[in-house]
């Protein structure tokens, strides 16, 4: 993997760059649609490529390990071949899913034992097998196995947690460096900064993560319920420590406003289930604000979903039709809304990139954050 910085905004820490992988180039800043179980819910791969213009998508280690399972993934030739996607894929390590299974998991130095949400069967994730599983899935970028702390989190717990995450990171690196990718293309490895919302812990973790000198770095544990101001403060702190010549990935974030504010702090990569999950519940993100398509006010609004969009379904389907589909719980409603939201998120980061390159990002961002937060 190679990362080249191509532009820096003069009035903020926003930057534009290019990540080159064996499955293609990713222009940053970038948003990565989440394909939890080998599918970005409600959209075809050709729509991801041609309509949404996704440059990279996510796969989820925990879910893919349970279904379809490693045997099927290996026989298919990896996740790219199984799902018919020829662009880059990033895989998370399963750490966040294990965090969210707090009722059915135990964390020890060896790793994490947990029970499957599907059939209750018992499993163990360690730093070593988290790397092995991601080798088998075949992501272009694979993540360290870490502990994601909850919010709020008691200081001493957060301190012990980052120490263990750093010990686990050493084990991940050892395994990664002594194994090979399986399908004839290279894989890159990103460690993850943790430390809850404690400044000294975030500084310590960022310094440790940077010292491993991997190809990119991630910031975790900042999409778990903390106030946005805390997220921004920790992100700025960490971005000032992580090396400028490597991509920075803020995991699990967030709203369109969150994304623009964090781009301004120096983040290059984002992912979040919000555009897809909220779409299925009738919430649309637009250039002018947020629409709830379940509301009565759209019942007889026959204007296009977004008239100036270059997405076919935005121009051809009306708000009234989408509102009807949502009310009737028709699958097409979820498909149209998901296409719209993902297309919008990719439009947002692409436009941010253009504004960084032209030197107009800071003023544009300040205008957009006010518009994007409005409820229409």
């Amino acid at each position: 993997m190679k990362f080249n910085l191509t532009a820096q905004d003069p009035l903020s820490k926003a930057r534009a760059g290019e990540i080159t992988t064996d499955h293609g180039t990713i222009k940053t800043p970038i948003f990565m649609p989440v394909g939890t179980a080998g599918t970005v819910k409600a959209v075809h791969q050709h729509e991801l490529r041609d309509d949404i213009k996704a440059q990279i998508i996510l796969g989820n280690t925990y879910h893919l390990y349970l279904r379809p399972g490693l045997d099927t993934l290996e026989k298919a030739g990896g996740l790219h071949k199984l799902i018919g996607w020829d662009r880059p894929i990033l895989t998370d390590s399963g750490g966040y899913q294990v965090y969210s299974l707090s009722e059915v998991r135990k964390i020890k130095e060896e790793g994490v034992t947990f029970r499957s949400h599907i059939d209750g069967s018992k499993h163990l994730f360690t730093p070593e097998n988290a790397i092995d599983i991601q080798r088998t899935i075949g992501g272009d970028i694979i993540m360290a196995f870490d502990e994601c702390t909850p919010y709020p989190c008691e200081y001493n717990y957060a301190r012990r947690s980052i120490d263990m995450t750093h010990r686990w990171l050493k084990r991940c690196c050892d395994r990664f460096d002594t194994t090979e990718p399986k399908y004839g293309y290279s894989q890159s490895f990103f460690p993850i900064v943790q430390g809850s919302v404690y400044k000294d812990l975030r500084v310590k973790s960022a310094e440790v993560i940077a010292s491993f000198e991997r190809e990119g770095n991630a910031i975790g544990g900042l999409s778990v319920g903390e106030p946005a101001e805390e997220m921004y403060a920790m992100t700025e702190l960490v971005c000032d420590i992580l090396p400028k010549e490597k991509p920075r990935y803020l995991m699990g974030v967030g709203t369109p406003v969150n994304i623009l504010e964090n781009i301004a702090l120096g983040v290059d990569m984002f992912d979040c289930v919000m555009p897809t999950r909220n779409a299925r519940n009738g919430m649309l993100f637009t250039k002018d604000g947020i629409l709830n398509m379940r509301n009565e006010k759209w019942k007889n609004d026959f204007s296009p979903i977004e008239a100036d969009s270059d997405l076919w379904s935005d121009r051809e389907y009306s708000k009234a039709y989408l509102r009807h589909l949502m009310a009737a719980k028709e699958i097409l409603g979820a498909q149209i809304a998901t296409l719209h939201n993902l297309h919008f998120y990719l439009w947002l980061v692409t436009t941010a990139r253009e504004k960084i390159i032209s030197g107009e990002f800071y003023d544009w961002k300040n205008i957009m954050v006010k518009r994007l937060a409005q409820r229409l």
Side-chain angles (χ1 to χ4, degrees):
M1 193 194 87
K2 293 178 183 174
F3 179 60
N4 291 313
L5 274 175
T6 53
Q8 172 87 41
D9 180 56
L11 298 176
S12 73
K13 295 170 185 173
R15 66 239 202 107
E18 288 188 355
I19 299 169
T20 305
T21 75
D22 289 354
H23 278 105
T25 298
I26 304 151
K27 295 185 176 182
T28 64
I30 192 63
F31 178 81
M32 304 178 282
V34 178
T36 302
T39 170
V40 177
K41 285 183 172 60
V43 295
H44 289 283
Q45 270 67 300
H46 72 85
E47 293 170 320
L48 277 172
R49 184 189 64 233
D50 301 333
D51 300 329
I52 294 163
K53 299 179 175 64
Q55 298 174 50
I56 176 173
I57 61 173
L58 255 69
N60 184 282
T61 291
Y62 167 84
H63 288 281
L64 293 167
Y65 163 79
L66 293 175
R67 284 189 304 210
L70 301 183
D71 184 57
T72 296
L73 282 158
E74 189 142 25
K75 285 175 179 172
L79 186 61
H80 289 88
K81 292 284 179 63
L82 179 67
I83 69 173
W85 177 255
D86 62 1
R87 292 183 178 182
I89 293 175
L90 182 148
T91 52
D92 68 12
S93 66
Y96 182 80
Q97 277 62 43
V98 169
Y99 146 82
S100 64
L101 294 168
S102 56
E103 301 300 313
V104 290
R105 55 104 164 116
K106 289 182 181 175
I107 302 171
K108 296 181 179 178
E109 189 67 33
E110 180 191 9
V112 181
T113 53
F114 62 91
R115 292 197 176 275
S116 163
H117 72 286
I118 300 166
D119 60 9
S121 56
K122 194 174 181 181
H123 302 270
L124 171 69
F125 272 10
T126 67
E128 291 80 10
N129 71 16
I131 297 298
D132 296 344
I133 293 165
Q134 291 180 89
R135 288 288 200 198
T136 299
I137 295 170
D140 298 88
I141 299 170
I142 72 178
M143 303 303 298
F145 188 60
D146 63 333
E147 184 189 2
C148 178
T149 51
Y151 179 86
C153 180
E154 196 260 331
Y155 178 86
N156 284 331
Y157 184 96
R159 180 178 52 78
R160 290 192 301 270
S161 176
I162 65 160
D163 289 343
M164 185 173 68
T165 285
H166 298 157
R167 293 192 298 273
W168 283 0
L169 174 57
K170 174 67 166 64
R171 290 165 57 188
C172 284
C173 289
D174 289 346
R175 188 61 147 231
F176 183 84
D177 292 341
T178 55
T179 55
E180 296 291 330
K182 294 190 172 185
Y183 308 115
Y185 54 87
S186 62
Q187 293 178 296
S188 299
F189 173 78
F190 285 21
I192 304 169
V193 177
Q194 290 289 350
S196 188
V197 292
Y198 299 108
K199 183 176 179 180
D200 61 321
L201 299 184
R202 283 284 172 180
V203 168
K204 177 183 177 182
S205 188
E207 289 172 346
V208 169
I209 265 61
S211 74
F212 276 82
E213 299 183 342
R214 310 314 290 202
E215 291 162 291
N217 298 294
I219 307 166
L222 289 177
S223 58
V224 292
E226 75 289 332
E229 292 70 27
E230 297 267 31
M231 177 208 300
Y232 300 145
M234 294 301 107
T235 300
E236 183 170 26
L237 188 69
V238 168
C239 284
D240 286 347
I241 296 168
L242 294 177
K244 289 181 171 58
E245 69 276 9
K246 296 176 182 180
R248 304 174 186 136
Y249 164 30
L250 182 58
M251 304 180 77
V253 175
T255 66
V257 169
N258 291 158
I259 287 173
L260 288 186
E261 294 290 8
N262 283 297
I263 288 173
L265 299 175
V267 174
D268 307 296
M269 304 167 71
F270 301 87
D271 80 285
C272 190
V273 297
M274 187 172 283
T276 46
R277 181 179 289 166
N278 288 24
R280 298 193 299 276
N281 293 316
M283 179 184 283
L284 297 191
F285 298 100
T286 76
K287 301 179 186 74
D288 298 308
I290 299 165
L291 283 65
N292 182 348
M293 299 312 299
R294 296 181 183 277
N295 286 351
E296 186 80 13
K297 68 182 289 186
W298 310 116
K299 185 175 182 179
N300 294 313
D301 186 334
F302 302 106
S303 65
I305 294 167
E306 196 159 26
D308 62 348
S309 170
D310 64 1
L311 183 66
W312 181 89
S313 53
D314 277 350
R315 299 191 309 273
E316 296 299 321
Y317 295 129
S318 70
K319 296 182 183 77
Y321 181 49
L322 181 54
R323 194 257 174 196
H324 156 68
L325 294 173
M326 288 293 175
K329 295 183 170 61
E330 284 289 343
I331 292 170
L332 182 58
Q335 292 176 297
I336 293 169
T338 302
L339 272 171
H340 168 87
N341 277 354
L342 288 174
H343 177 270
F344 171 73
Y345 266 60
L346 268 295
W347 171 86
L348 187 69
V349 293
T350 300
T351 306
R353 177 184 167 82
E354 291 168 358
K355 298 295 183 183
I356 292 166
I357 292 169
S358 67
E360 303 168 286
F361 172 79
Y362 184 75
D363 290 338
W364 173 79
K365 184 267 293 183
N366 289 338
I367 293 167
M368 288 301 292
V369 294
K370 291 175 184 171
R371 284 170 52 184
L372 296 173
Q374 297 178 124
R375 290 191 174 264
L376 302 175

